[in-house]
Amino acid sequence: KQWYQRRYGKQWYQRRVRGVMGLYGAAVITEELKRRGVRFAFMMDEGCPVLKEGSFPGYHGPVGLVGTAEKGFATLRLKLEHPGGHASAPPRTGGGIVELSEAIVKLNNNPIPTNFGGGIEVAMFEHAAVSSSWWMRVLSSNLWLFSPLISAIMSIKDSTRAQISTTMAFTQISGGVKDNVLPNSASVTINTRLLPGHSIETVTNHIRKVINDPSFEIEVLYENNPSAISSTSSEGYNVIHHTIKQIFPDAIVIPGILIGGTDSKWYGELCDDVYRFAPSYLGTEDIKMFHGHDEVITVKNYEQTINFFYHLLRNLEKSFEVTIKDEL
Protein backbone atom coordinates (compact mmCIF):
# COMPACT_ATOMS: atom_id res chain seq x y z
CA LYS A 1 0.00 0.00 0.00
CA GLN A 2 2.69 2.48 1.03
CA TRP A 3 4.80 1.68 -2.05
CA TYR A 4 1.89 2.28 -4.44
CA GLN A 5 0.91 5.50 -2.69
CA ARG A 6 4.46 6.83 -2.84
CA ARG A 7 4.82 5.94 -6.52
CA TYR A 8 1.39 6.86 -7.89
CA GLY A 9 -0.25 9.00 -5.21
CA LYS A 10 -3.01 8.29 -2.70
CA GLN A 11 -5.89 9.07 -5.09
CA TRP A 12 -4.55 6.68 -7.75
CA TYR A 13 -4.21 3.95 -5.11
CA GLN A 14 -7.78 4.43 -3.87
CA ARG A 15 -9.22 4.30 -7.40
CA ARG A 16 -7.19 1.46 -8.81
CA VAL A 17 -5.37 -0.83 -6.38
CA ARG A 18 -8.20 -0.95 -3.86
CA GLY A 19 -10.46 -1.92 -6.76
CA VAL A 20 -8.36 -5.01 -7.54
CA MET A 21 -11.46 -7.22 -7.44
CA GLY A 22 -13.47 -4.74 -9.53
CA LEU A 23 -13.19 -3.07 -12.91
CA TYR A 24 -9.79 -1.44 -12.43
CA GLY A 25 -7.54 -3.97 -10.69
CA ALA A 26 -7.15 -6.51 -13.50
CA ALA A 27 -6.55 -3.73 -16.03
CA VAL A 28 -3.77 -2.26 -13.90
CA ILE A 29 -2.15 -5.66 -13.39
CA THR A 30 -2.24 -6.22 -17.15
CA GLU A 31 -0.63 -2.84 -17.79
CA GLU A 32 2.17 -3.63 -15.37
CA LEU A 33 2.86 -7.08 -16.85
CA LYS A 34 2.88 -5.62 -20.36
CA ARG A 35 5.37 -3.01 -19.18
CA ARG A 36 7.59 -5.83 -17.95
CA GLY A 37 7.28 -7.65 -21.27
CA VAL A 38 5.54 -10.71 -19.77
CA ARG A 39 3.79 -13.13 -22.16
CA PHE A 40 2.04 -16.38 -21.26
CA ALA A 41 1.61 -19.59 -23.23
CA PHE A 42 -2.11 -19.41 -22.37
CA MET A 43 -4.31 -18.40 -19.47
CA MET A 44 -7.16 -20.14 -17.65
CA ASP A 45 -9.71 -18.36 -15.52
CA GLU A 46 -12.92 -19.38 -13.79
CA GLY A 47 -15.65 -20.28 -16.22
CA CYS A 48 -17.80 -23.05 -17.65
CA PRO A 49 -18.47 -26.17 -15.55
CA VAL A 50 -18.74 -29.89 -16.15
CA LEU A 51 -22.42 -30.25 -17.00
CA LYS A 52 -24.30 -33.14 -15.42
CA GLU A 53 -25.94 -35.90 -17.45
CA GLY A 54 -28.74 -34.67 -19.69
CA SER A 55 -27.81 -31.00 -19.51
CA PHE A 56 -26.53 -30.73 -23.09
CA PRO A 57 -28.98 -31.22 -26.00
CA GLY A 58 -28.54 -34.51 -27.83
CA TYR A 59 -26.10 -36.04 -25.36
CA HIS A 60 -27.03 -37.91 -22.19
CA GLY A 61 -23.64 -38.02 -20.46
CA PRO A 62 -21.62 -35.32 -18.63
CA VAL A 63 -20.04 -32.55 -20.71
CA GLY A 64 -16.83 -30.66 -19.87
CA LEU A 65 -17.50 -27.24 -21.35
CA VAL A 66 -14.34 -25.17 -21.88
CA GLY A 67 -15.02 -21.51 -22.50
CA THR A 68 -12.99 -20.44 -25.53
CA ALA A 69 -14.71 -17.06 -25.53
CA GLU A 70 -16.58 -14.77 -23.16
CA LYS A 71 -19.60 -12.65 -23.75
CA GLY A 72 -19.38 -8.89 -23.65
CA PHE A 73 -21.10 -6.96 -20.88
CA ALA A 74 -23.03 -3.72 -21.04
CA THR A 75 -25.40 -1.83 -18.76
CA LEU A 76 -27.88 0.64 -20.18
CA ARG A 77 -30.58 2.89 -18.78
CA LEU A 78 -33.80 3.31 -20.72
CA LYS A 79 -35.48 6.53 -19.59
CA LEU A 80 -38.75 8.28 -20.39
CA GLU A 81 -39.48 11.90 -19.47
CA HIS A 82 -43.18 12.59 -18.87
CA PRO A 83 -45.30 15.62 -17.93
CA GLY A 84 -46.42 13.93 -14.73
CA GLY A 85 -49.43 15.35 -12.91
CA HIS A 86 -51.77 14.53 -10.06
CA ALA A 87 -52.88 10.96 -9.52
CA SER A 88 -56.52 12.05 -9.31
CA ALA A 89 -56.61 12.68 -13.10
CA PRO A 90 -54.31 10.16 -14.82
CA PRO A 91 -53.92 10.33 -18.63
CA ARG A 92 -55.39 7.65 -20.89
CA THR A 93 -51.87 6.35 -21.56
CA GLY A 94 -51.49 5.65 -17.85
CA GLY A 95 -48.47 7.92 -17.45
CA GLY A 96 -44.73 7.37 -17.60
CA ILE A 97 -44.64 4.14 -15.60
CA VAL A 98 -47.25 2.46 -17.81
CA GLU A 99 -45.55 3.61 -21.02
CA LEU A 100 -42.17 2.39 -19.74
CA SER A 101 -43.72 -0.95 -18.75
CA GLU A 102 -45.17 -1.36 -22.22
CA ALA A 103 -41.72 -0.72 -23.71
CA ILE A 104 -40.21 -3.37 -21.41
CA VAL A 105 -42.83 -5.92 -22.48
CA LYS A 106 -42.12 -5.15 -26.16
CA LEU A 107 -38.40 -5.73 -25.66
CA ASN A 108 -38.96 -8.90 -23.67
CA ASN A 109 -41.25 -10.30 -26.36
CA ASN A 110 -38.88 -9.34 -29.18
CA PRO A 111 -35.36 -10.52 -28.23
CA ILE A 112 -32.31 -9.77 -30.32
CA PRO A 113 -32.20 -12.32 -33.18
CA THR A 114 -29.58 -15.04 -32.86
CA ASN A 115 -26.83 -15.59 -35.39
CA PHE A 116 -26.81 -19.36 -34.89
CA GLY A 117 -24.57 -21.21 -37.29
CA GLY A 118 -22.13 -18.38 -37.78
CA GLY A 119 -20.29 -18.20 -34.46
CA ILE A 120 -18.61 -20.17 -31.69
CA GLU A 121 -21.52 -22.63 -31.49
CA VAL A 122 -20.29 -24.23 -34.72
CA ALA A 123 -17.16 -25.59 -33.01
CA MET A 124 -19.20 -26.58 -29.96
CA PHE A 125 -21.55 -28.79 -31.95
CA GLU A 126 -18.82 -30.16 -34.20
CA HIS A 127 -16.92 -31.41 -31.14
CA ALA A 128 -20.10 -32.75 -29.52
CA ALA A 129 -21.31 -34.53 -32.67
CA VAL A 130 -18.87 -37.43 -32.25
CA SER A 131 -20.56 -38.58 -29.03
CA SER A 132 -24.11 -37.32 -29.58
CA SER A 133 -27.19 -39.31 -30.53
CA TRP A 134 -27.53 -40.21 -34.20
CA TRP A 135 -30.15 -37.53 -34.87
CA MET A 136 -27.98 -34.85 -33.24
CA ARG A 137 -25.01 -35.98 -35.35
CA VAL A 138 -27.12 -35.47 -38.46
CA LEU A 139 -28.18 -32.01 -37.32
CA SER A 140 -24.69 -30.96 -36.20
CA SER A 141 -23.11 -32.09 -39.46
CA ASN A 142 -25.51 -29.98 -41.49
CA LEU A 143 -25.75 -26.69 -39.63
CA TRP A 144 -26.23 -24.87 -42.93
CA LEU A 145 -29.62 -26.56 -43.13
CA PHE A 146 -30.65 -27.32 -39.55
CA SER A 147 -29.45 -24.18 -37.71
CA PRO A 148 -33.02 -22.91 -37.11
CA LEU A 149 -34.04 -26.27 -35.61
CA ILE A 150 -31.00 -26.55 -33.30
CA SER A 151 -31.46 -22.92 -32.29
CA ALA A 152 -35.05 -23.73 -31.30
CA ILE A 153 -33.87 -26.74 -29.25
CA MET A 154 -31.20 -24.66 -27.51
CA SER A 155 -33.75 -21.95 -26.74
CA ILE A 156 -35.92 -24.25 -24.63
CA LYS A 157 -33.73 -23.88 -21.51
CA ASP A 158 -32.58 -20.52 -20.14
CA SER A 159 -28.99 -21.71 -19.65
CA THR A 160 -28.55 -22.98 -23.21
CA ARG A 161 -30.47 -20.10 -24.80
CA ALA A 162 -28.00 -17.69 -23.22
CA GLN A 163 -25.16 -19.46 -25.07
CA ILE A 164 -26.55 -18.68 -28.51
CA SER A 165 -28.04 -15.20 -28.12
CA THR A 166 -27.31 -11.68 -26.95
CA THR A 167 -29.54 -11.32 -23.90
CA MET A 168 -31.22 -8.42 -22.16
CA ALA A 169 -32.19 -8.56 -18.47
CA PHE A 170 -34.25 -5.84 -16.78
CA THR A 171 -32.64 -5.50 -13.37
CA GLN A 172 -33.65 -2.16 -11.79
CA ILE A 173 -36.65 0.09 -12.23
CA SER A 174 -37.26 3.60 -10.95
CA GLY A 175 -40.27 5.90 -11.06
CA GLY A 176 -42.34 8.01 -8.70
CA VAL A 177 -41.49 9.23 -5.22
CA LYS A 178 -44.98 10.00 -3.92
CA ASP A 179 -48.13 7.90 -3.85
CA ASN A 180 -50.48 10.59 -5.22
CA VAL A 181 -48.24 12.10 -7.94
CA LEU A 182 -47.54 10.82 -11.44
CA PRO A 183 -43.75 10.78 -11.94
CA ASN A 184 -42.01 13.18 -14.31
CA SER A 185 -39.64 10.41 -15.35
CA ALA A 186 -39.34 6.64 -15.20
CA SER A 187 -36.39 4.45 -16.06
CA VAL A 188 -35.24 0.85 -16.20
CA THR A 189 -31.70 -0.54 -16.06
CA ILE A 190 -30.92 -3.19 -18.66
CA ASN A 191 -28.04 -5.62 -18.27
CA THR A 192 -27.06 -7.13 -21.61
CA ARG A 193 -24.55 -9.87 -22.47
CA LEU A 194 -23.12 -9.62 -25.97
CA LEU A 195 -22.21 -12.51 -28.24
CA PRO A 196 -18.94 -12.28 -30.20
CA GLY A 197 -19.84 -10.37 -33.35
CA HIS A 198 -22.35 -8.16 -31.54
CA SER A 199 -21.68 -4.74 -30.02
CA ILE A 200 -23.45 -2.16 -27.88
CA GLU A 201 -24.70 -0.62 -31.14
CA THR A 202 -26.39 -3.94 -31.92
CA VAL A 203 -28.38 -3.60 -28.70
CA THR A 204 -29.21 0.12 -28.88
CA ASN A 205 -30.31 -0.17 -32.52
CA HIS A 206 -32.53 -3.12 -31.62
CA ILE A 207 -34.10 -1.22 -28.70
CA ARG A 208 -34.89 1.80 -30.87
CA LYS A 209 -36.38 -0.39 -33.61
CA VAL A 210 -38.60 -2.38 -31.24
CA ILE A 211 -39.84 0.56 -29.14
CA ASN A 212 -40.13 2.88 -32.15
CA ASP A 213 -40.66 5.93 -29.93
CA PRO A 214 -38.18 8.85 -29.94
CA SER A 215 -39.42 9.93 -26.49
CA PHE A 216 -37.24 7.26 -24.90
CA GLU A 217 -33.63 8.06 -24.08
CA ILE A 218 -30.95 5.33 -24.04
CA GLU A 219 -27.89 5.93 -21.84
CA VAL A 220 -24.94 3.53 -21.91
CA LEU A 221 -23.61 3.27 -18.34
CA TYR A 222 -20.87 0.72 -18.94
CA GLU A 223 -19.74 -1.44 -21.85
CA ASN A 224 -17.16 -4.12 -22.46
CA ASN A 225 -16.82 -5.90 -25.79
CA PRO A 226 -16.94 -9.69 -26.23
CA SER A 227 -13.61 -11.49 -26.11
CA ALA A 228 -11.72 -13.00 -29.02
CA ILE A 229 -12.28 -16.72 -29.66
CA SER A 230 -9.37 -18.90 -28.52
CA SER A 231 -7.97 -21.88 -30.41
CA THR A 232 -9.10 -25.47 -29.82
CA SER A 233 -5.89 -26.86 -31.37
CA SER A 234 -3.37 -25.20 -29.06
CA GLU A 235 -1.24 -27.00 -26.50
CA GLY A 236 -3.05 -25.16 -23.72
CA TYR A 237 -6.47 -26.42 -24.82
CA ASN A 238 -5.09 -29.95 -25.19
CA VAL A 239 -3.70 -29.90 -21.64
CA ILE A 240 -7.02 -28.72 -20.20
CA HIS A 241 -8.88 -31.31 -22.31
CA HIS A 242 -6.59 -34.13 -21.10
CA THR A 243 -6.90 -33.06 -17.45
CA ILE A 244 -10.70 -32.95 -17.58
CA LYS A 245 -10.71 -36.51 -18.96
CA GLN A 246 -8.44 -37.63 -16.12
CA ILE A 247 -10.80 -36.36 -13.42
CA PHE A 248 -14.12 -36.82 -15.25
CA PRO A 249 -13.45 -39.85 -17.52
CA ASP A 250 -17.08 -40.19 -18.61
CA ALA A 251 -17.34 -36.61 -19.84
CA ILE A 252 -16.89 -35.41 -23.40
CA VAL A 253 -14.96 -32.15 -23.69
CA ILE A 254 -16.21 -29.43 -26.03
CA PRO A 255 -15.56 -25.69 -26.50
CA GLY A 256 -18.24 -23.16 -25.66
CA ILE A 257 -18.89 -19.61 -24.57
CA LEU A 258 -18.94 -18.28 -21.02
CA ILE A 259 -22.12 -16.27 -20.52
CA GLY A 260 -20.80 -14.52 -17.40
CA GLY A 261 -17.84 -12.18 -17.02
CA THR A 262 -14.31 -12.71 -15.69
CA ASP A 263 -11.06 -10.76 -15.33
CA SER A 264 -9.70 -12.74 -18.27
CA LYS A 265 -11.13 -10.06 -20.55
CA TRP A 266 -8.13 -7.97 -19.48
CA TYR A 267 -5.51 -10.71 -19.35
CA GLY A 268 -6.18 -11.71 -22.95
CA GLU A 269 -3.70 -9.00 -23.94
CA LEU A 270 -0.93 -11.09 -22.39
CA CYS A 271 -1.34 -14.26 -24.47
CA ASP A 272 -2.90 -15.67 -27.61
CA ASP A 273 -5.40 -18.00 -25.93
CA VAL A 274 -7.58 -17.64 -22.84
CA TYR A 275 -9.71 -20.50 -21.52
CA ARG A 276 -12.48 -20.31 -18.95
CA PHE A 277 -13.20 -23.48 -17.01
CA ALA A 278 -14.15 -24.51 -13.48
CA PRO A 279 -14.17 -28.21 -12.52
CA SER A 280 -17.56 -27.88 -10.84
CA TYR A 281 -20.02 -30.70 -11.54
CA LEU A 282 -23.31 -28.89 -12.12
CA GLY A 283 -26.71 -29.28 -13.73
CA THR A 284 -28.80 -26.53 -15.28
CA GLU A 285 -30.72 -26.14 -12.01
CA ASP A 286 -27.51 -25.94 -9.98
CA ILE A 287 -26.26 -23.02 -12.10
CA LYS A 288 -29.17 -20.96 -10.79
CA MET A 289 -27.48 -21.01 -7.36
CA PHE A 290 -24.67 -18.73 -8.58
CA HIS A 291 -24.73 -15.51 -6.54
CA GLY A 292 -27.90 -16.81 -4.88
CA HIS A 293 -29.11 -18.77 -1.86
CA ASP A 294 -27.53 -22.08 -0.79
CA GLU A 295 -24.65 -21.95 -3.29
CA VAL A 296 -22.90 -25.30 -2.67
CA ILE A 297 -20.89 -28.09 -4.26
CA THR A 298 -20.67 -31.66 -3.02
CA VAL A 299 -17.75 -32.96 -0.95
CA LYS A 300 -16.85 -35.30 -3.83
CA ASN A 301 -16.76 -32.39 -6.29
CA TYR A 302 -14.58 -30.44 -3.85
CA GLU A 303 -12.10 -33.33 -3.98
CA GLN A 304 -12.36 -33.44 -7.79
CA THR A 305 -11.61 -29.72 -7.96
CA ILE A 306 -8.40 -30.12 -5.96
CA ASN A 307 -7.36 -33.11 -8.06
CA PHE A 308 -8.06 -31.23 -11.28
CA PHE A 309 -5.71 -28.37 -10.48
CA TYR A 310 -3.03 -30.71 -9.15
CA HIS A 311 -3.06 -32.77 -12.35
CA LEU A 312 -3.33 -29.64 -14.50
CA LEU A 313 -0.03 -28.40 -13.06
CA ARG A 314 1.56 -31.80 -13.55
CA ASN A 315 0.39 -31.97 -17.15
CA LEU A 316 1.66 -28.46 -17.79
CA GLU A 317 5.03 -29.52 -16.46
CA LYS A 318 5.19 -32.31 -19.05
CA SER A 319 3.79 -30.36 -22.00
CA PHE A 320 5.69 -27.09 -21.57
CA GLU A 321 8.86 -28.51 -20.02
CA VAL A 322 8.68 -26.36 -16.91
CA THR A 323 9.47 -27.29 -13.31
CA ILE A 324 6.70 -26.90 -10.75
CA LYS A 325 7.60 -27.20 -7.07
CA ASP A 326 5.46 -29.84 -5.37
CA GLU A 327 4.60 -28.96 -1.76
CA LEU A 328 1.89 -31.59 -1.30
Side-chain angles (χ1 to χ4, degrees), residues 237-292:
Y237 183 86
N238 291 336
V239 169
I240 296 171
H241 183 290
H242 176 66
T243 309
I244 294 173
K245 294 294 290 182
Q246 281 182 295
I247 309 303
F248 303 94
D250 296 330
I252 62 168
V253 181
I254 63 173
I257 187 167
L258 178 65
I259 62 176
T262 70
D263 284 342
S264 66
K265 64 174 66 72
W266 303 105
Y267 299 135
E269 299 181 36
L270 300 171
C271 59
D272 293 330
D273 296 302
V274 179
Y275 303 104
R276 303 151 184 89
F277 176 75
S280 302
Y281 189 61
L282 302 172
T284 52
E285 292 301 312
D286 299 323
I287 294 173
K288 295 179 180 179
M289 294 188 299
F290 286 0
H291 303 310

Side-chain angles (χ1 to χ4, degrees), residues 15-186:
R15 280 189 65 242
R16 298 210 169 216
V17 178
R18 284 178 61 187
V20 71
M21 297 304 291
L23 299 176
Y24 295 107
V28 174
I29 293 171
T30 299
E31 290 173 5
E32 178 62 21
L33 292 175
K34 285 169 64 179
R35 188 188 67 80
R36 299 183 187 183
V38 175
R39 292 284 298 175
F40 297 98
F42 74 96
M43 299 194 76
M44 194 184 87
D45 201 348
E46 61 179 329
C48 303
V50 177
L51 297 172
K52 288 181 179 178
E53 292 84 349
S55 299
F56 190 83
Y59 182 69
H60 298 295
V63 176
L65 193 62
V66 180
T68 53
E70 177 179 317
K71 275 187 162 185
F73 174 103
T75 300
L76 306 89
R77 181 181 291 124
L78 181 65
K79 185 177 182 180
L80 176 65
E81 299 290 344
H82 200 273
H86 198 276
S88 61
R92 285 187 177 276
T93 62
I97 291 178
V98 173
E99 292 179 36
L100 176 66
S101 300
E102 290 173 346
I104 293 172
V105 172
K106 283 183 180 179
L107 291 171
N108 191 61
N109 292 340
N110 295 276
I112 297 172
T114 66
N115 187 31
F116 192 90
I120 191 173
E121 69 280 351
V122 174
M124 179 170 67
F125 277 95
E126 285 178 346
H127 282 72
V130 178
S131 304
S132 298
S133 56
W134 68 267
W135 62 268
M136 199 62 179
R137 287 200 299 272
V138 172
L139 299 181
S140 300
S141 301
N142 296 278
L143 290 179
W144 62 273
L145 178 61
F146 295 116
S147 286
L149 178 57
I150 299 180
S151 179
I153 295 172
M154 293 285 285
S155 297
I156 294 174
K157 294 182 179 180
D158 295 340
S159 57
T160 50
R161 183 173 64 251
Q163 293 179 359
I164 63 170
S165 60
T166 290
T167 58
M168 290 188 293
F170 307 95
T171 55
Q172 294 175 301
I173 194 164
S174 177
V177 294
K178 204 172 181 185
D179 65 344
N180 64 342
V181 178
L182 296 169
N184 294 109
S185 68

Side-chain angles (χ1 to χ4, degrees), residues 292-312:
H293 297 295
D294 300 323
E295 187 174 0
V296 296
I297 62 171
T298 64
V299 173
K300 180 181 179 180
N301 190 204
Y302 179 64
E303 178 185 356
Q304 289 171 320
T305 300
I306 296 171
N307 278 329
F308 173 83
F309 285 108
Y310 173 79
H311 286 285
L312 178 68

